[in-house]
Amino acid sequence: MKRLVHGLYDHDGILRFIGLDREACVAYAELFDLSLARCSLMDLPMPLPLAVRSRQRMIPGAGNS
């Protein structure tokens, strides 16, 4: 089963908030006086963490013997 998060988009289509439940999105809209009639709530897939690869630094002359 995929976990979902919920996104609150304003009337311009801008993502304003991501919450774990719809109630959190509604609370955000109320806190910032966003009209729910002009907003959209959408189910979004839970974002996956991205792997971060470290870059090895090249030190001039270190590998040349």
Side-chain angles (χ1 to χ4, degrees), residues 22-41:
R22 289 182 178 267
E23 291 78 21
C25 292
V26 170
Y28 178 91
E30 290 173 355
L31 179 65
F32 290 99
D33 279 335
L34 298 174
S35 169
L36 286 176
R38 297 188 67 198
C39 291
S40 300
L41 285 170

Side-chain angles (χ1 to χ4, degrees), residues 10-26:
D10 67 11
H11 64 278
D12 292 320
I14 297 172
L15 179 62
R16 298 289 298 260
F17 181 78
I18 295 176
L20 294 177
D21 55 40
R22 289 182 178 267
E23 291 78 21
C25 292
V26 170

Side-chain angles (χ1 to χ4, degrees), residues 44-60:
L44 305 171
M46 181 69 79
L48 297 174
L50 297 175
V52 178
R53 295 187 322 199
S54 63
R55 293 174 58 181
Q56 292 187 352
R57 297 184 77 155
M58 298 290 290
I59 301 172

